[in-house]
């Protein structure tokens, strides 16, 4: 798998942006044009190394059994760390391959020999994890937790959670996030990239969630590695509930170079604990975004919305977060129809049960327990319906069966 870097030039699709692009080629002459757009004001800070491109190629190469060849230099520490990342991946997913990397090596440069990046950035999607990362970096905050660091810039990516060409969905969200950043007194930088289009070329099921979204965030951070000394990635799960996942505390720190450190933030806190902090952040009370069903709004009908609403309800934050959800649709009884499928779903369910017991909300405990019993019956049936959906001639039957099984007041996304 070879990488050929192109020159940066004005983006043909994003006004006021500069596009940096590279061509990735591999066996049988297959190619992928990977690009990322950054604001013109950031053009001087674009990386001139192979660091971001190496990470972008890594999941592809490990899935396809390809070695990597770059003409751009790669940081020596990152090359060492990548060996660790690959070792972790192969332990998680034995079907993945080792990857040999051929490239010039960029040795460590002391600060007096190279420009020193000084800023700290955090990724910002408007969700619980990203707001929590910001909240605990606000000096003198009154959220009941100590300040653990600083943040200067908020990084938002168009092309990860929202499709890279879905402007109608992204623009309302980006406007809301820009207002939040302004309220917080922080600079927001919006990136646009087609990185996720590579998933269609890779024979690895559910690659983004299971393997590569941490790599994707690191790719974005390293694109402006001349600006940042630290980039913070909000955790998905706690240290006590870790499992193979695209962003992981064992993995994310290994995306660091000699000059830029990646931090996996907040894994000591459950999602319930994070929600309790975020609900006290004034801007989040009107601009928290946990659902991608309605642009900058929360649909109040999907499982992600319902989990958040349950948590806010039992923590006593319902009144001052009334602008976030359609609370008229919220019913504890409806929780019994929540479909709990994945390992992550079960972790969040257990966290909410613990909190509900602590706050003497037995009705929520009972509803979630009923949902788990129902889900245990449904899981193999849903899996069978999804198999039918892949079969020629009877795929419509599979769609109908799945819709029937998952009917109810809470939509599974």
């Amino acid at each position: 798998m070879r990488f050929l870097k192109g020159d940066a030039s004005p983006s043909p699709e994003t006004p006021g942006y500069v596009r940096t692009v590279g061509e990735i080629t591999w066996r049988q002459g297959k190619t992928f044009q990977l690009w990322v757009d950054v604001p013109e004001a950031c053009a001087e800070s674009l990386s001139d190394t192979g660091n971001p491109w190496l990470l972008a190629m890594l999941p592809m190469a490990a899935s396809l059994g390809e070695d990597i060849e770059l003409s751009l230099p790669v940081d020596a520490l990152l090359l060492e760390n990548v060996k660790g990342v690959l070792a972790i991946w192969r332990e998680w997913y034995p079907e993945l391959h080792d990857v040999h990397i051929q490239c010039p090596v960029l040795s460590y440069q002391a600060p007096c020999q190279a420009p020193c990046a000084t800023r700290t950035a955090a990724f910002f999607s408007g969700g619980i994890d990203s707001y929590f990362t910001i909240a605990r970096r606000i000096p003198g905050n009154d959220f009941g937790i100590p300040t653990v660091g600083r943040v200067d810039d908020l990084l938002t990516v168009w092309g990860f959670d929202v499709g890279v060409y879905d402007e109608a969905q992204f623009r309302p969200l980006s406007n809301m996030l820009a207002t939040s950043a302004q309220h917080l007194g922080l600079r927001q930088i919006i990136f646009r990239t087609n990185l996720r289009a590579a998933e269609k070329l890779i024979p690895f099921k559910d690659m983004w969630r299971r393997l590569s979204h941490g790599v994707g965030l690191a790719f974005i951070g390293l694109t402006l590695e001349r600006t940042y000394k630290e980039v913070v990635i909000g955790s998905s799960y706690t240290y006590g509930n870790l499992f193979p996942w695209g962003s992981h505390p064992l993995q994310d720190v290994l995306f660091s170079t000699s000059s830029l450190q990646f931090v996996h933030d907040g894994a000591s806190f459950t999602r319930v604990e994070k929600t309790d902090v975020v609900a006290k952040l004034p801007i989040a009370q009107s601009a928290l975004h946990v659902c991608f069903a309605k642009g900058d709004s929360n649909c109040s009908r999907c499982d992600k919305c319902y989990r958040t609403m349950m948590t806010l309800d039992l923590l006593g934050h319902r009144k001052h977060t009334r602008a976030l959800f359609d609370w008229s649709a919220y019913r504890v009884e409806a929780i019994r129809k929540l479909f709990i499928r994945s390992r992550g779903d079960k972790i969040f369910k257990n966290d909410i049960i613990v909190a509900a017991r602590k706050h003497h909300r037995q009705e929520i405990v009972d509803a979630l327990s009923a949902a788990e019993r129902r889900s245990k019956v449904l899981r193999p049936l849903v899996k069978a319906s999804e198999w039918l959906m892949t079969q020629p001639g009877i795929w419509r039957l599979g769609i109908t069966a799945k819709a029937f099984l998952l009917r109810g007041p809470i939509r599974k996304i």
Side-chain angles (χ1 to χ4, degrees), residues 290-294 297-309 321-331 334 409-411:
V290 301
C291 166
F292 289 96
K294 295 178 67 177
S297 302
N298 296 304
C299 74
S300 306
R301 302 293 192 280
C302 70
D303 55 339
K304 293 184 72 174
C305 282
Y306 239 82
R307 281 200 308 262
T308 308
M309 294 166 79
T321 58
R322 59 184 179 272
L324 295 173
F325 300 98
D326 177 10
W327 285 98
S328 67
Y330 174 74
R331 300 286 187 277
I410 303 176
R411 181 172 54 87

Side-chain angles (χ1 to χ4, degrees), residues 39-355:
E40 289 177 346
C42 299
E44 294 293 325
S45 300
L46 279 169
S47 171
D48 57 1
T49 75
N51 296 338
W53 308 102
L54 169 61
L55 290 186
M57 297 167 68
L58 202 61
M60 302 171 63
S63 300
L64 295 169
E66 294 267 344
D67 293 332
I68 291 176
E69 181 180 337
L70 301 97
S71 59
L72 295 173
V74 174
D75 180 79
L77 179 61
L78 180 60
L79 280 173
E80 180 180 324
N81 287 344
V82 160
K83 293 180 181 179
V85 172
L86 289 168
I88 293 168
W89 287 356
R90 294 198 310 276
E91 180 67 25
W92 289 350
Y93 309 117
E95 67 270 28
L96 295 181
H97 303 270
D98 196 11
V99 178
H100 297 285
I101 301 163
Q102 181 180 343
C103 63
V105 179
L106 188 62
S107 298
Y108 172 76
Q109 289 181 294
C112 62
Q113 298 175 294
C116 186
T118 59
R119 299 179 72 84
T120 295
F123 285 98
F124 184 47
S125 64
I128 293 291
D129 296 328
S130 58
Y131 266 123
F132 177 79
T133 290
I134 295 166
R136 64 203 302 246
R137 285 167 171 78
I138 296 176
N141 75 72
D142 56 357
F143 310 133
I145 56 173
T147 303
V148 297
R150 57 178 272 193
V151 62
D152 303 300
D153 297 345
L154 302 180
L155 311 183
T156 300
V157 186
W158 180 5
F160 284 0
D161 294 322
V162 178
V164 69
Y165 294 109
D166 192 349
E167 186 165 3
Q169 180 89 338
F170 184 74
R171 285 303 176 194
L173 174 62
S174 66
N175 291 338
M176 183 184 74
L177 297 181
T179 300
S180 296
Q182 184 177 17
H183 180 90
L184 293 163
L186 300 172
R187 181 175 72 160
Q188 185 196 27
I189 300 176
I190 297 176
F191 298 77
R192 186 179 184 184
T193 181
N194 70 334
L195 176 64
R196 289 201 62 178
E199 295 174 50
K200 300 176 182 178
L201 309 173
I202 306 302
F204 189 90
K205 184 178 179 181
D206 202 10
M207 184 177 81
W208 182 251
R209 293 196 307 163
R210 296 172 61 214
L211 182 68
S212 63
H213 72 264
V215 171
L217 295 173
F219 165 67
I220 293 297
L222 284 168
T223 298
L224 295 184
E225 63 181 323
R226 296 163 69 180
T227 296
Y228 298 117
K229 68 172 184 178
E230 183 177 86
V231 174
V232 185
I233 299 173
S235 62
S236 300
Y237 301 103
T238 62
Y239 289 117
N241 288 299
L242 295 176
F243 60 95
W245 197 243
S247 175
H248 191 284
L250 190 61
Q251 166 198 268
D252 293 356
V253 295
L254 294 178
F255 301 138
S256 300
T257 70
S258 300
S259 60
L260 192 160
Q261 180 181 12
F262 283 93
V263 176
H264 185 93
D265 180 72
S268 296
F269 296 82
T270 67
R271 184 65 59 83
V272 171
E273 292 169 328
K274 289 181 177 183
T275 303
D276 193 26
V277 170
V278 170
K280 299 169 187 174
L281 185 63
I283 187 61
Q285 294 171 7
S286 60
L288 176 68
H289 190 63
V290 301
C291 166
F292 289 96
K294 295 178 67 177
D296 61 341
S297 302
N298 296 304
C299 74
S300 306
R301 302 293 192 280
C302 70
D303 55 339
K304 293 184 72 174
C305 282
Y306 239 82
R307 281 200 308 262
T308 308
M309 294 166 79
M310 266 189 284
T311 305
L312 293 169
D313 177 23
L314 69 88
L315 292 174
H317 295 307
R318 183 168 169 172
K319 181 178 179 180
H320 55 268
T321 58
R322 59 184 179 272
L324 295 173
F325 300 98
D326 177 10
W327 285 98
S328 67
Y330 174 74
R331 300 286 187 277
V332 171
E333 188 63 24
I335 298 168
R336 293 175 176 270
K337 292 294 184 71
L338 179 68
F339 182 45
I340 301 166
R341 181 175 193 175
S342 68
R343 188 168 180 176
D345 290 344
K346 295 173 186 177
I347 290 169
F348 296 142
K349 177 262 297 182
N350 291 336
D351 288 344
I352 294 172
I353 284 178
V354 169

Side-chain angles (χ1 to χ4, degrees), residues 23-34:
E23 182 178 82
I24 301 170
T25 62
W26 62 97
R27 69 181 69 155
Q28 299 174 344
K30 293 183 178 180
T31 64
F32 176 64
Q33 294 282 339
L34 172 61

